[in-house]
Amino acid sequence: AQKITQTQPGMFVQEKEAVTLDCTYDTSDPSYGLFWYKQPSSGEMIFLIYQGSYDQQNATEGRYSLNFQKARKSANLVISASQLGDSAMYFCAMRNMYSGGGADGLTFGKGTHLIIQP
Amino acid sequence: GAGVSQTPSNKVTEKGKYVELRCDPISGHTALYWYRQSLGQGPEFLIYFQGTGAADDSGLPNDRFFAVRPEGSVSTLKIQRTERGDSAVYLCASSLWGGQGDTQYFGPGTRLTVL
């Protein structure tokens, strides 16, 4: 079974600073995908970035980048030049290649509540 | 284009009642997922549809929960004999083809409160 651990329940960051949100994962499958989602107070889950386990390069999407360290089983999200609108819950999630037994769905961590201060 | 829509946005019911929650996925998406999110937690997987069939229902907590997707588009999550512990936000997501790296796009959720 797969597991996602997010060790930072909450973070306060000054506007315009970079922020790193930690995520470690555990799986026995060699092929998997890692995702980050943002959930503002409105409740909707917004997809941010994806990293495949065999991808050679770290994924980037605008101000978001994923620091993927496969040997350490970590997939930290880096937000550059944080903005007030970045304040939200952030969830790390993964999905294995093999189907069945719940593997078809995403396994989520408990999330990190990020607050950007002016 | 339109995203995933869910109705109702809020549902309040009494213990023991039956409820139906509806999900309308992004047009053309063959894969559809249901999740449940309790307060302060990440979403938990319930069931995955590929087309009309439930390809993986291992996350359904018990036989009071059932979901259908009869025409491969709209899905309905059905909960019988609701219990107070069923109170949560029920999220629906869809993806283009259901593969491992396929991005799942979420709807706004239905907040279910069982009194």
mmCIF file of all heavy atoms in Angstrom, chain A residues 31-33 35 37 39 42-45 47 50 53 91 95-97 99-106 108-110, chain B residues 4 33 35 37 40-45 48 55-56 58-59 91 95 98-108:
data_model
loop_
_atom_site.group_PDB
_atom_site.id
_atom_site.type_symbol
_atom_site.label_atom_id
_atom_site.label_comp_id
_atom_site.label_asym_id
_atom_site.label_seq_id
_atom_site.Cartn_x
_atom_site.Cartn_y
_atom_site.Cartn_z
ATOM 1 N N SER A 31 6.760 2.064 -10.536
ATOM 2 C CA SER A 31 6.186 3.087 -11.399
ATOM 3 C C SER A 31 5.035 3.776 -10.680
ATOM 4 O O SER A 31 4.101 3.112 -10.234
ATOM 5 C CB SER A 31 5.699 2.456 -12.706
ATOM 6 O OG SER A 31 5.121 3.433 -13.541
ATOM 7 N N TYR A 32 5.120 5.081 -10.584
ATOM 8 C CA TYR A 32 4.088 5.827 -9.864
ATOM 9 C C TYR A 32 4.114 7.280 -10.316
ATOM 10 O O TYR A 32 5.056 7.738 -10.972
ATOM 11 C CB TYR A 32 4.296 5.746 -8.338
ATOM 12 C CG TYR A 32 5.706 6.048 -7.898
ATOM 13 C CD1 TYR A 32 6.103 7.354 -7.639
ATOM 14 C CD2 TYR A 32 6.645 5.028 -7.766
ATOM 15 C CE1 TYR A 32 7.403 7.629 -7.249
ATOM 16 C CE2 TYR A 32 7.942 5.303 -7.381
ATOM 17 C CZ TYR A 32 8.319 6.599 -7.123
ATOM 18 O OH TYR A 32 9.605 6.872 -6.745
ATOM 19 N N GLY A 33 3.074 7.976 -9.984
ATOM 20 C CA GLY A 33 2.986 9.397 -10.291
ATOM 21 C C GLY A 33 2.746 10.190 -9.023
ATOM 22 O O GLY A 33 2.058 9.731 -8.113
ATOM 23 N N PHE A 35 1.575 13.997 -7.430
ATOM 24 C CA PHE A 35 0.781 15.174 -7.748
ATOM 25 C C PHE A 35 0.762 16.130 -6.558
ATOM 26 O O PHE A 35 0.814 15.707 -5.405
ATOM 27 C CB PHE A 35 -0.678 14.791 -8.040
ATOM 28 C CG PHE A 35 -0.869 13.832 -9.177
ATOM 29 C CD1 PHE A 35 -0.648 12.471 -9.004
ATOM 30 C CD2 PHE A 35 -1.291 14.269 -10.416
ATOM 31 C CE1 PHE A 35 -0.836 11.569 -10.043
ATOM 32 C CE2 PHE A 35 -1.495 13.376 -11.464
ATOM 33 C CZ PHE A 35 -1.259 12.026 -11.277
ATOM 34 N N TYR A 37 -1.815 19.300 -5.206
ATOM 35 C CA TYR A 37 -3.069 20.029 -5.375
ATOM 36 C C TYR A 37 -3.141 21.151 -4.343
ATOM 37 O O TYR A 37 -2.623 21.022 -3.232
ATOM 38 C CB TYR A 37 -4.275 19.101 -5.171
ATOM 39 C CG TYR A 37 -4.567 18.182 -6.340
ATOM 40 C CD1 TYR A 37 -3.918 16.963 -6.459
ATOM 41 C CD2 TYR A 37 -5.503 18.532 -7.307
ATOM 42 C CE1 TYR A 37 -4.192 16.112 -7.531
ATOM 43 C CE2 TYR A 37 -5.789 17.689 -8.371
ATOM 44 C CZ TYR A 37 -5.125 16.481 -8.476
ATOM 45 O OH TYR A 37 -5.402 15.639 -9.529
ATOM 46 N N GLN A 39 -5.915 23.573 -2.282
ATOM 47 C CA GLN A 39 -7.327 23.658 -1.900
ATOM 48 C C GLN A 39 -7.554 24.952 -1.125
ATOM 49 O O GLN A 39 -7.296 25.029 0.076
ATOM 50 C CB GLN A 39 -7.747 22.444 -1.069
ATOM 51 C CG GLN A 39 -9.248 22.378 -0.812
ATOM 52 C CD GLN A 39 -9.669 21.113 -0.077
ATOM 53 O OE1 GLN A 39 -9.017 20.673 0.868
ATOM 54 N NE2 GLN A 39 -10.766 20.507 -0.523
ATOM 55 N N SER A 42 -12.410 27.945 -0.452
ATOM 56 C CA SER A 42 -13.636 27.637 -1.200
ATOM 57 C C SER A 42 -13.859 26.131 -1.330
ATOM 58 O O SER A 42 -14.972 25.686 -1.610
ATOM 59 C CB SER A 42 -13.573 28.254 -2.597
ATOM 60 O OG SER A 42 -12.451 27.747 -3.308
ATOM 61 N N GLY A 43 -12.793 25.345 -1.153
ATOM 62 C CA GLY A 43 -12.955 23.892 -1.114
ATOM 63 C C GLY A 43 -12.573 23.127 -2.354
ATOM 64 O O GLY A 43 -12.382 21.914 -2.289
ATOM 65 N N GLU A 44 -12.450 23.778 -3.495
ATOM 66 C CA GLU A 44 -12.164 23.044 -4.723
ATOM 67 C C GLU A 44 -10.689 22.667 -4.794
ATOM 68 O O GLU A 44 -9.824 23.447 -4.461
ATOM 69 C CB GLU A 44 -12.546 23.878 -5.940
ATOM 70 C CG GLU A 44 -12.522 23.109 -7.241
ATOM 71 C CD GLU A 44 -13.386 23.741 -8.300
ATOM 72 O OE1 GLU A 44 -14.160 24.668 -7.971
ATOM 73 O OE2 GLU A 44 -13.318 23.298 -9.456
ATOM 74 N N MET A 45 -10.406 21.448 -5.214
ATOM 75 C CA MET A 45 -9.036 20.958 -5.374
ATOM 76 C C MET A 45 -8.529 21.396 -6.739
ATOM 77 O O MET A 45 -9.107 21.051 -7.766
ATOM 78 C CB MET A 45 -8.996 19.428 -5.288
ATOM 79 C CG MET A 45 -9.468 18.865 -3.977
ATOM 80 S SD MET A 45 -8.288 19.101 -2.674
ATOM 81 C CE MET A 45 -7.106 17.835 -3.077
ATOM 82 N N PHE A 47 -5.412 21.317 -9.401
ATOM 83 C CA PHE A 47 -4.176 20.630 -9.782
ATOM 84 C C PHE A 47 -3.063 21.651 -10.020
ATOM 85 O O PHE A 47 -3.265 22.667 -10.684
ATOM 86 C CB PHE A 47 -4.416 19.806 -11.041
ATOM 87 C CG PHE A 47 -3.155 19.332 -11.709
ATOM 88 C CD1 PHE A 47 -2.406 18.315 -11.126
ATOM 89 C CD2 PHE A 47 -2.698 19.907 -12.869
ATOM 90 C CE1 PHE A 47 -1.234 17.878 -11.719
ATOM 91 C CE2 PHE A 47 -1.538 19.481 -13.475
ATOM 92 C CZ PHE A 47 -0.800 18.465 -12.892
ATOM 93 N N TYR A 50 2.656 17.741 -11.724
ATOM 94 C CA TYR A 50 2.766 16.285 -11.762
ATOM 95 C C TYR A 50 4.216 15.889 -12.037
ATOM 96 O O TYR A 50 4.918 16.536 -12.829
ATOM 97 C CB TYR A 50 1.869 15.713 -12.858
ATOM 98 C CG TYR A 50 2.183 14.283 -13.224
ATOM 99 C CD1 TYR A 50 1.742 13.239 -12.419
ATOM 100 C CD2 TYR A 50 2.953 13.974 -14.348
ATOM 101 C CE1 TYR A 50 2.045 11.931 -12.733
ATOM 102 C CE2 TYR A 50 3.260 12.653 -14.669
ATOM 103 C CZ TYR A 50 2.798 11.639 -13.859
ATOM 104 O OH TYR A 50 3.101 10.337 -14.164
ATOM 105 N N SER A 53 7.521 8.889 -11.930
ATOM 106 C CA SER A 53 8.679 8.304 -11.245
ATOM 107 C C SER A 53 9.857 8.089 -12.179
ATOM 108 O O SER A 53 11.001 8.003 -11.726
ATOM 109 C CB SER A 53 8.286 6.981 -10.586
ATOM 110 O OG SER A 53 7.809 6.054 -11.551
ATOM 111 N N PHE A 91 -1.966 19.766 -0.837
ATOM 112 C CA PHE A 91 -1.948 18.318 -0.665
ATOM 113 C C PHE A 91 -1.001 17.678 -1.679
ATOM 114 O O PHE A 91 -1.039 17.987 -2.870
ATOM 115 C CB PHE A 91 -3.337 17.722 -0.860
ATOM 116 C CG PHE A 91 -4.311 18.069 0.226
ATOM 117 C CD1 PHE A 91 -5.178 19.147 0.090
ATOM 118 C CD2 PHE A 91 -4.347 17.326 1.397
ATOM 119 C CE1 PHE A 91 -6.078 19.466 1.101
ATOM 120 C CE2 PHE A 91 -5.245 17.642 2.409
ATOM 121 C CZ PHE A 91 -6.101 18.715 2.260
ATOM 122 N N ARG A 95 -0.140 8.082 -7.129
ATOM 123 C CA ARG A 95 -0.910 6.987 -7.721
ATOM 124 C C ARG A 95 0.083 5.999 -8.303
ATOM 125 O O ARG A 95 1.004 6.378 -9.018
ATOM 126 C CB ARG A 95 -1.844 7.488 -8.812
ATOM 127 C CG ARG A 95 -2.678 6.369 -9.418
ATOM 128 C CD ARG A 95 -3.620 6.880 -10.469
ATOM 129 N NE ARG A 95 -4.372 5.760 -11.040
ATOM 130 C CZ ARG A 95 -5.275 5.879 -11.999
ATOM 131 N NH1 ARG A 95 -5.547 7.065 -12.489
ATOM 132 N NH2 ARG A 95 -5.906 4.826 -12.453
ATOM 133 N N ASN A 96 -0.132 4.717 -7.989
ATOM 134 C CA ASN A 96 0.739 3.665 -8.517
ATOM 135 C C ASN A 96 0.271 3.228 -9.893
ATOM 136 O O ASN A 96 -0.852 3.497 -10.301
ATOM 137 C CB ASN A 96 0.752 2.465 -7.565
ATOM 138 C CG ASN A 96 1.559 2.757 -6.327
ATOM 139 O OD1 ASN A 96 2.212 3.774 -6.231
ATOM 140 N ND2 ASN A 96 1.492 1.860 -5.366
ATOM 141 N N MET A 97 1.127 2.498 -10.568
ATOM 142 C CA MET A 97 0.807 2.032 -11.915
ATOM 143 C C MET A 97 -0.198 0.905 -11.892
ATOM 144 O O MET A 97 -1.079 0.817 -12.731
ATOM 145 C CB MET A 97 2.078 1.542 -12.609
ATOM 146 C CG MET A 97 1.832 1.045 -14.018
ATOM 147 S SD MET A 97 3.328 0.415 -14.779
ATOM 148 C CE MET A 97 3.448 -1.176 -13.976
ATOM 149 N N SER A 99 -3.279 -1.468 -11.047
ATOM 150 C CA SER A 99 -4.675 -1.191 -10.768
ATOM 151 C C SER A 99 -5.212 -2.063 -9.648
ATOM 152 O O SER A 99 -4.626 -3.071 -9.290
ATOM 153 C CB SER A 99 -5.511 -1.433 -12.033
ATOM 154 O OG SER A 99 -5.125 -0.568 -13.055
ATOM 155 N N GLY A 100 -6.358 -1.653 -9.162
ATOM 156 C CA GLY A 100 -7.050 -2.446 -8.166
ATOM 157 C C GLY A 100 -6.576 -2.176 -6.755
ATOM 158 O O GLY A 100 -5.535 -1.580 -6.544
ATOM 159 N N GLY A 101 -7.391 -2.589 -5.808
ATOM 160 C CA GLY A 101 -7.038 -2.462 -4.400
ATOM 161 C C GLY A 101 -6.860 -1.032 -3.947
ATOM 162 O O GLY A 101 -6.098 -0.761 -3.018
ATOM 163 N N GLY A 102 -7.561 -0.135 -4.609
ATOM 164 C CA GLY A 102 -7.447 1.270 -4.226
ATOM 165 C C GLY A 102 -6.352 2.004 -4.962
ATOM 166 O O GLY A 102 -6.213 3.217 -4.816
ATOM 167 N N ALA A 103 -5.572 1.280 -5.756
ATOM 168 C CA ALA A 103 -4.436 1.923 -6.417
ATOM 169 C C ALA A 103 -4.877 2.827 -7.550
ATOM 170 O O ALA A 103 -4.097 3.638 -8.019
ATOM 171 C CB ALA A 103 -3.486 0.859 -6.958
ATOM 172 N N ASP A 104 -6.124 2.670 -7.981
ATOM 173 C CA ASP A 104 -6.572 3.518 -9.076
ATOM 174 C C ASP A 104 -6.873 4.929 -8.624
ATOM 175 O O ASP A 104 -6.903 5.844 -9.434
ATOM 176 C CB ASP A 104 -7.830 2.910 -9.723
ATOM 177 C CG ASP A 104 -7.504 1.639 -10.456
ATOM 178 O OD1 ASP A 104 -6.807 1.708 -11.478
ATOM 179 O OD2 ASP A 104 -7.923 0.573 -9.986
ATOM 180 N N GLY A 105 -7.114 5.102 -7.362
ATOM 181 C CA GLY A 105 -7.356 6.433 -6.842
ATOM 182 C C GLY A 105 -6.068 7.064 -6.367
ATOM 183 O O GLY A 105 -5.033 6.404 -6.237
ATOM 184 N N LEU A 106 -6.107 8.346 -6.127
ATOM 185 C CA LEU A 106 -4.972 9.039 -5.547
ATOM 186 C C LEU A 106 -4.950 8.798 -4.039
ATOM 187 O O LEU A 106 -5.993 8.790 -3.391
ATOM 188 C CB LEU A 106 -5.076 10.539 -5.814
ATOM 189 C CG LEU A 106 -4.955 10.979 -7.274
ATOM 190 C CD1 LEU A 106 -5.304 12.451 -7.412
ATOM 191 C CD2 LEU A 106 -3.550 10.717 -7.788
ATOM 192 N N PHE A 108 -3.706 10.594 -0.751
ATOM 193 C CA PHE A 108 -3.352 11.953 -0.345
ATOM 194 C C PHE A 108 -2.686 11.960 1.027
ATOM 195 O O PHE A 108 -2.967 11.110 1.878
ATOM 196 C CB PHE A 108 -4.607 12.832 -0.251
ATOM 197 C CG PHE A 108 -5.163 13.269 -1.572
ATOM 198 C CD1 PHE A 108 -6.020 12.447 -2.284
ATOM 199 C CD2 PHE A 108 -4.825 14.500 -2.107
ATOM 200 C CE1 PHE A 108 -6.548 12.851 -3.499
ATOM 201 C CE2 PHE A 108 -5.354 14.909 -3.324
ATOM 202 C CZ PHE A 108 -6.210 14.088 -4.021
ATOM 203 N N GLY A 109 -1.838 12.978 1.236
ATOM 204 C CA GLY A 109 -1.353 13.275 2.571
ATOM 205 C C GLY A 109 -2.382 14.104 3.331
ATOM 206 O O GLY A 109 -3.456 14.407 2.809
ATOM 207 N N LYS A 110 -2.040 14.476 4.544
ATOM 208 C CA LYS A 110 -2.968 15.250 5.375
ATOM 209 C C LYS A 110 -2.951 16.734 5.058
ATOM 210 O O LYS A 110 -3.792 17.482 5.548
ATOM 211 C CB LYS A 110 -2.659 15.031 6.852
ATOM 212 C CG LYS A 110 -2.978 13.626 7.323
ATOM 213 C CD LYS A 110 -2.878 13.499 8.827
ATOM 214 C CE LYS A 110 -3.340 12.107 9.252
ATOM 215 N NZ LYS A 110 -3.345 11.949 10.721
ATOM 216 N N VAL B 4 -15.765 19.935 -13.790
ATOM 217 C CA VAL B 4 -16.580 18.927 -13.124
ATOM 218 C C VAL B 4 -17.620 19.652 -12.268
ATOM 219 O O VAL B 4 -17.272 20.580 -11.532
ATOM 220 C CB VAL B 4 -15.710 18.018 -12.246
ATOM 221 C CG1 VAL B 4 -16.576 17.008 -11.501
ATOM 222 C CG2 VAL B 4 -14.644 17.328 -13.084
ATOM 223 N N TYR B 33 -13.919 9.431 -10.634
ATOM 224 C CA TYR B 33 -13.531 9.008 -9.297
ATOM 225 C C TYR B 33 -14.415 9.696 -8.262
ATOM 226 O O TYR B 33 -14.755 10.874 -8.399
ATOM 227 C CB TYR B 33 -12.078 9.403 -8.998
ATOM 228 C CG TYR B 33 -11.079 9.009 -10.059
ATOM 229 C CD1 TYR B 33 -10.953 9.762 -11.229
ATOM 230 C CD2 TYR B 33 -10.254 7.899 -9.888
ATOM 231 C CE1 TYR B 33 -10.037 9.410 -12.205
ATOM 232 C CE2 TYR B 33 -9.322 7.555 -10.856
ATOM 233 C CZ TYR B 33 -9.234 8.313 -12.006
ATOM 234 O OH TYR B 33 -8.316 7.961 -12.968
ATOM 235 N N TYR B 35 -14.281 10.608 -4.068
ATOM 236 C CA TYR B 35 -13.470 10.681 -2.855
ATOM 237 C C TYR B 35 -14.345 11.242 -1.721
ATOM 238 O O TYR B 35 -15.340 11.918 -1.955
ATOM 239 C CB TYR B 35 -12.276 11.627 -3.040
ATOM 240 C CG TYR B 35 -11.241 11.165 -4.032
ATOM 241 C CD1 TYR B 35 -11.394 11.405 -5.398
ATOM 242 C CD2 TYR B 35 -10.083 10.508 -3.604
ATOM 243 C CE1 TYR B 35 -10.441 10.990 -6.309
ATOM 244 C CE2 TYR B 35 -9.118 10.094 -4.514
ATOM 245 C CZ TYR B 35 -9.311 10.343 -5.862
ATOM 246 O OH TYR B 35 -8.359 9.937 -6.760
ATOM 247 N N GLN B 37 -13.795 13.532 1.874
ATOM 248 C CA GLN B 37 -12.839 14.322 2.651
ATOM 249 C C GLN B 37 -13.470 14.726 3.978
ATOM 250 O O GLN B 37 -14.425 15.510 4.018
ATOM 251 C CB GLN B 37 -12.391 15.574 1.881
ATOM 252 C CG GLN B 37 -11.282 16.347 2.580
ATOM 253 C CD GLN B 37 -10.761 17.500 1.744
ATOM 254 O OE1 GLN B 37 -11.430 18.003 0.859
ATOM 255 N NE2 GLN B 37 -9.530 17.933 2.035
ATOM 256 N N GLY B 40 -10.183 18.373 8.143
ATOM 257 C CA GLY B 40 -8.786 18.325 8.534
ATOM 258 C C GLY B 40 -7.982 17.194 7.920
ATOM 259 O O GLY B 40 -6.828 16.973 8.304
ATOM 260 N N GLN B 41 -8.577 16.495 6.961
ATOM 261 C CA GLN B 41 -7.896 15.356 6.326
ATOM 262 C C GLN B 41 -7.795 15.566 4.818
ATOM 263 O O GLN B 41 -8.488 16.409 4.239
ATOM 264 C CB GLN B 41 -8.672 14.062 6.596
ATOM 265 C CG GLN B 41 -8.890 13.744 8.057
ATOM 266 C CD GLN B 41 -7.598 13.431 8.774
ATOM 267 O OE1 GLN B 41 -6.730 12.728 8.241
ATOM 268 N NE2 GLN B 41 -7.440 13.947 9.978
ATOM 269 N N GLY B 42 -6.927 14.778 4.211
ATOM 270 C CA GLY B 42 -6.897 14.738 2.762
ATOM 271 C C GLY B 42 -8.019 13.858 2.246
ATOM 272 O O GLY B 42 -8.588 13.055 2.987
ATOM 273 N N PRO B 43 -8.375 14.000 0.976
ATOM 274 C CA PRO B 43 -9.422 13.147 0.407
ATOM 275 C C PRO B 43 -9.040 11.669 0.467
ATOM 276 O O PRO B 43 -7.867 11.322 0.325
ATOM 277 C CB PRO B 43 -9.519 13.629 -1.047
ATOM 278 C CG PRO B 43 -8.966 15.021 -1.033
ATOM 279 C CD PRO B 43 -7.893 14.996 0.011
ATOM 280 N N GLU B 44 -10.057 10.827 0.647
ATOM 281 C CA GLU B 44 -9.868 9.369 0.629
ATOM 282 C C GLU B 44 -10.628 8.788 -0.542
ATOM 283 O O GLU B 44 -11.805 9.093 -0.739
ATOM 284 C CB GLU B 44 -10.374 8.757 1.930
ATOM 285 C CG GLU B 44 -9.581 9.123 3.154
ATOM 286 C CD GLU B 44 -10.171 8.490 4.395
ATOM 287 O OE1 GLU B 44 -11.293 8.854 4.778
ATOM 288 O OE2 GLU B 44 -9.521 7.603 4.979
ATOM 289 N N PHE B 45 -9.955 7.934 -1.273
ATOM 290 C CA PHE B 45 -10.530 7.313 -2.459
ATOM 291 C C PHE B 45 -11.689 6.395 -2.098
ATOM 292 O O PHE B 45 -11.608 5.619 -1.145
ATOM 293 C CB PHE B 45 -9.440 6.517 -3.180
ATOM 294 C CG PHE B 45 -9.926 5.609 -4.262
ATOM 295 C CD1 PHE B 45 -10.352 6.113 -5.474
ATOM 296 C CD2 PHE B 45 -9.966 4.239 -4.067
ATOM 297 C CE1 PHE B 45 -10.802 5.269 -6.480
ATOM 298 C CE2 PHE B 45 -10.402 3.381 -5.060
ATOM 299 C CZ PHE B 45 -10.818 3.898 -6.269
ATOM 300 N N TYR B 48 -13.684 4.098 -8.467
ATOM 301 C CA TYR B 48 -13.193 4.548 -9.762
ATOM 302 C C TYR B 48 -13.996 3.869 -10.863
ATOM 303 O O TYR B 48 -14.169 2.654 -10.860
ATOM 304 C CB TYR B 48 -11.706 4.207 -9.870
ATOM 305 C CG TYR B 48 -11.127 4.101 -11.271
ATOM 306 C CD1 TYR B 48 -11.181 5.163 -12.161
ATOM 307 C CD2 TYR B 48 -10.485 2.927 -11.672
ATOM 308 C CE1 TYR B 48 -10.616 5.063 -13.420
ATOM 309 C CE2 TYR B 48 -9.922 2.821 -12.934
ATOM 310 C CZ TYR B 48 -9.986 3.892 -13.805
ATOM 311 O OH TYR B 48 -9.429 3.787 -15.054
ATOM 312 N N ALA B 55 -14.364 0.044 -12.002
ATOM 313 C CA ALA B 55 -13.121 -0.706 -12.134
ATOM 314 C C ALA B 55 -12.473 -0.995 -10.788
ATOM 315 O O ALA B 55 -11.710 -1.953 -10.654
ATOM 316 C CB ALA B 55 -12.152 0.049 -13.032
ATOM 317 N N ASP B 56 -12.759 -0.158 -9.801
ATOM 318 C CA ASP B 56 -12.147 -0.336 -8.483
ATOM 319 C C ASP B 56 -13.067 0.297 -7.448
ATOM 320 O O ASP B 56 -13.175 1.512 -7.394
ATOM 321 C CB ASP B 56 -10.756 0.310 -8.453
ATOM 322 C CG ASP B 56 -10.011 0.078 -7.145
ATOM 323 O OD1 ASP B 56 -10.614 -0.434 -6.179
ATOM 324 O OD2 ASP B 56 -8.819 0.427 -7.082
ATOM 325 N N SER B 58 -12.840 -0.593 -4.136
ATOM 326 C CA SER B 58 -12.275 -1.062 -2.872
ATOM 327 C C SER B 58 -12.299 -0.011 -1.773
ATOM 328 O O SER B 58 -12.132 -0.340 -0.603
ATOM 329 C CB SER B 58 -10.846 -1.534 -3.099
ATOM 330 O OG SER B 58 -10.054 -0.479 -3.599
ATOM 331 N N GLY B 59 -12.503 1.258 -2.104
ATOM 332 C CA GLY B 59 -12.525 2.296 -1.088
ATOM 333 C C GLY B 59 -13.890 2.537 -0.459
ATOM 334 O O GLY B 59 -13.989 3.261 0.528
ATOM 335 N N LEU B 91 -16.160 14.462 -2.871
ATOM 336 C CA LEU B 91 -15.556 15.057 -4.051
ATOM 337 C C LEU B 91 -15.604 14.086 -5.218
ATOM 338 O O LEU B 91 -15.381 12.884 -5.052
ATOM 339 C CB LEU B 91 -14.089 15.406 -3.769
ATOM 340 C CG LEU B 91 -13.830 16.491 -2.716
ATOM 341 C CD1 LEU B 91 -12.361 16.492 -2.311
ATOM 342 C CD2 LEU B 91 -14.232 17.846 -3.237
ATOM 343 N N SER B 95 -10.885 12.234 -15.240
ATOM 344 C CA SER B 95 -9.663 12.351 -16.014
ATOM 345 C C SER B 95 -9.907 11.774 -17.401
ATOM 346 O O SER B 95 -10.844 11.008 -17.614
ATOM 347 C CB SER B 95 -8.487 11.656 -15.325
ATOM 348 O OG SER B 95 -8.643 10.257 -15.326
ATOM 349 N N GLY B 98 -7.720 7.768 -17.462
ATOM 350 C CA GLY B 98 -7.594 6.944 -16.263
ATOM 351 C C GLY B 98 -6.230 6.351 -16.022
ATOM 352 O O GLY B 98 -6.057 5.518 -15.143
ATOM 353 N N GLY B 99 -5.237 6.772 -16.758
ATOM 354 C CA GLY B 99 -3.910 6.220 -16.568
ATOM 355 C C GLY B 99 -3.215 6.800 -15.349
ATOM 356 O O GLY B 99 -3.667 7.761 -14.740
ATOM 357 N N GLN B 100 -2.105 6.201 -15.019
ATOM 358 C CA GLN B 100 -1.361 6.573 -13.815
ATOM 359 C C GLN B 100 -1.009 8.050 -13.785
ATOM 360 O O GLN B 100 -1.155 8.712 -12.766
ATOM 361 C CB GLN B 100 -0.083 5.740 -13.759
ATOM 362 C CG GLN B 100 0.905 6.198 -12.703
ATOM 363 C CD GLN B 100 2.298 5.705 -13.016
ATOM 364 O OE1 GLN B 100 2.475 4.608 -13.547
ATOM 365 N NE2 GLN B 100 3.290 6.500 -12.741
ATOM 366 N N GLY B 101 -0.547 8.589 -14.889
ATOM 367 C CA GLY B 101 -0.108 9.982 -14.921
ATOM 368 C C GLY B 101 -1.172 10.944 -15.376
ATOM 369 O O GLY B 101 -0.906 12.132 -15.580
ATOM 370 N N ASP B 102 -2.382 10.444 -15.495
ATOM 371 C CA ASP B 102 -3.484 11.243 -16.001
ATOM 372 C C ASP B 102 -3.980 12.174 -14.905
ATOM 373 O O ASP B 102 -4.332 11.718 -13.816
ATOM 374 C CB ASP B 102 -4.593 10.275 -16.434
ATOM 375 C CG ASP B 102 -5.532 10.857 -17.439
ATOM 376 O OD1 ASP B 102 -5.132 11.793 -18.138
ATOM 377 O OD2 ASP B 102 -6.671 10.364 -17.530
ATOM 378 N N THR B 103 -4.032 13.461 -15.172
ATOM 379 C CA THR B 103 -4.446 14.421 -14.139
ATOM 380 C C THR B 103 -5.926 14.275 -13.840
ATOM 381 O O THR B 103 -6.761 14.224 -14.741
ATOM 382 C CB THR B 103 -4.152 15.849 -14.603
ATOM 383 O OG1 THR B 103 -2.750 15.984 -14.801
ATOM 384 C CG2 THR B 103 -4.621 16.861 -13.571
ATOM 385 N N GLN B 104 -6.227 14.221 -12.562
ATOM 386 C CA GLN B 104 -7.615 14.188 -12.129
ATOM 387 C C GLN B 104 -8.061 15.606 -11.797
ATOM 388 O O GLN B 104 -7.410 16.302 -11.019
ATOM 389 C CB GLN B 104 -7.773 13.281 -10.911
ATOM 390 C CG GLN B 104 -7.445 11.833 -11.217
ATOM 391 C CD GLN B 104 -7.617 10.917 -10.030
ATOM 392 O OE1 GLN B 104 -8.405 11.176 -9.119
ATOM 393 N NE2 GLN B 104 -6.895 9.810 -10.022
ATOM 394 N N TYR B 105 -9.182 16.016 -12.365
ATOM 395 C CA TYR B 105 -9.743 17.341 -12.144
ATOM 396 C C TYR B 105 -10.962 17.195 -11.249
ATOM 397 O O TYR B 105 -11.863 16.415 -11.546
ATOM 398 C CB TYR B 105 -10.104 18.006 -13.465
ATOM 399 C CG TYR B 105 -8.895 18.255 -14.330
ATOM 400 C CD1 TYR B 105 -8.505 17.337 -15.299
ATOM 401 C CD2 TYR B 105 -8.113 19.387 -14.153
ATOM 402 C CE1 TYR B 105 -7.381 17.544 -16.074
ATOM 403 C CE2 TYR B 105 -6.986 19.612 -14.926
ATOM 404 C CZ TYR B 105 -6.619 18.688 -15.884
ATOM 405 O OH TYR B 105 -5.498 18.897 -16.637
ATOM 406 N N PHE B 106 -10.963 17.983 -10.184
ATOM 407 C CA PHE B 106 -11.979 17.824 -9.149
ATOM 408 C C PHE B 106 -13.124 18.817 -9.306
ATOM 409 O O PHE B 106 -12.936 19.946 -9.773
ATOM 410 C CB PHE B 106 -11.353 18.022 -7.766
ATOM 411 C CG PHE B 106 -10.556 16.841 -7.301
ATOM 412 C CD1 PHE B 106 -9.282 16.609 -7.784
ATOM 413 C CD2 PHE B 106 -11.086 15.949 -6.382
ATOM 414 C CE1 PHE B 106 -8.543 15.504 -7.360
ATOM 415 C CE2 PHE B 106 -10.370 14.855 -5.943
ATOM 416 C CZ PHE B 106 -9.084 14.639 -6.442
ATOM 417 N N GLY B 107 -14.281 18.384 -8.861
ATOM 418 C CA GLY B 107 -15.423 19.258 -8.734
ATOM 419 C C GLY B 107 -15.404 19.998 -7.402
ATOM 420 O O GLY B 107 -14.507 19.766 -6.585
ATOM 421 N N PRO B 108 -16.392 20.856 -7.175
ATOM 422 C CA PRO B 108 -16.415 21.666 -5.948
ATOM 423 C C PRO B 108 -16.849 20.890 -4.718
ATOM 424 O O PRO B 108 -16.706 21.383 -3.598
ATOM 425 C CB PRO B 108 -17.428 22.757 -6.278
ATOM 426 C CG PRO B 108 -18.315 22.147 -7.308
ATOM 427 C CD PRO B 108 -17.471 21.213 -8.104
#
